[in-house]
């Protein structure tokens, strides 16, 4: 669930005293002070089984440690989880439709971590590929209020907006 705060990502500035121009500083990192992006590769062996075969809740889970997901992020920030699939980055949850069943990837976050959970609709354990790429965007503020026209479902648009590329 996405929680929003009344603050924004805008920086407030005031004009300082006029004087001599100082030296140019080192170039800083790209991105936004309020937003950070993380990339993960989940190999098949990195997924843990959860639940019991044949029962609702049977699936696989992959945990990504992200210390920046704090109680402040939980209360008033946002966490977006994206998955690279077939040269396309999609926001979770995402469902694949196969003959006879569906495979759904969903994401949850807790303090210090984000988790991807994968379930088959036929209550079997999902068969996962050799590896899967995930991207997680964590931030504070109210970006959806600042840029309501932005397509928040696409990692490309979000990363471009926050200068994460």
């Amino acid at each position: 669930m996405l929680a929003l705060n009344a603050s924004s990502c805008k920086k407030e500035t005031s004009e300082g005293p006029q004087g001599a121009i100082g030296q140019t500083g080192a170039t800083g990192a790209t991105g936004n002070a309020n937003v950070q992006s993380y990339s993960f590769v989940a190999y098949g062996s990195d997924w843990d089984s959860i639940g019991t075969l044949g029962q609702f809740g049977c699936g696989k889970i992959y945990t990504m440690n992200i210390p920046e997901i704090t109680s402040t992020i939980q209360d008033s920030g946002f966490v977006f989880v994206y998955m690279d699939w077939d040269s396309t980055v999609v926001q979770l949850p995402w469902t694949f439709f196969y003959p006879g069943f569906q495979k759904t990837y969903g994401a949850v976050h807790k303090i210090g971590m984000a988790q991807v959970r994968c379930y088959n609709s036929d209550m079997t354990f999902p068969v996962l590929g050799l590896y899967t790429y995930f991207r997680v965007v964590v931030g504070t503020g109210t970006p959806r209020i600042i840029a309501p026209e932005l397509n928040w479902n696409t990692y490309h648009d979000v990363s471009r907006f926050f200068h994460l590329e």
Side-chain angles (χ1 to χ4, degrees), residues 15 23 28-29 32 45 63-64 74 85 87 117 127 152 159:
E15 192 170 321
Q23 296 178 346
N32 182 309
S45 61
T63 301
M64 299 167 279
Q74 285 283 97
W85 176 74
S87 302
R117 297 175 182 186
V127 175
W152 293 94
S159 65

Side-chain angles (χ1 to χ4, degrees), residues 16-99:
Q18 300 298 315
I21 297 176
Q23 296 178 346
T24 301
T27 302
T30 59
N32 182 309
N34 297 335
V35 180
Q36 297 178 1
S37 176
Y38 306 89
S39 295
F40 295 90
V41 178
Y43 296 97
S45 61
D46 294 336
W47 294 81
D48 294 318
S49 295
I50 54 175
T52 303
L53 182 65
Q55 294 183 2
F56 182 77
C58 156
K60 296 285 187 171
I61 188 168
Y62 172 67
T63 301
M64 299 167 279
N65 293 318
I66 306 173
E68 288 75 12
I69 300 177
T70 62
S71 59
T72 301
I73 296 295
Q74 285 283 97
D75 295 340
S76 59
F78 61 90
V79 177
F80 297 135
V81 180
Y82 299 89
M83 179 175 70
D84 285 342
W85 176 74
D86 197 26
S87 302
T88 303
V89 182
V90 296
Q91 186 178 31
L92 299 183
W94 192 260
T95 299
F96 297 93
F97 295 90
Y98 298 99

Side-chain angles (χ1 to χ4, degrees), residues 127-139:
V127 175
L128 303 167
L130 294 177
Y131 54 87
T132 307
Y133 293 102
F134 294 103
R135 300 177 193 193
V136 181
V137 178
V138 177

Side-chain angles (χ1 to χ4, degrees), residues 137-154:
V137 178
V138 177
T140 60
T142 56
R144 285 190 181 210
I145 293 171
I146 296 167
E149 71 287 346
L150 184 66
N151 183 354
W152 293 94
N153 294 320
T154 66

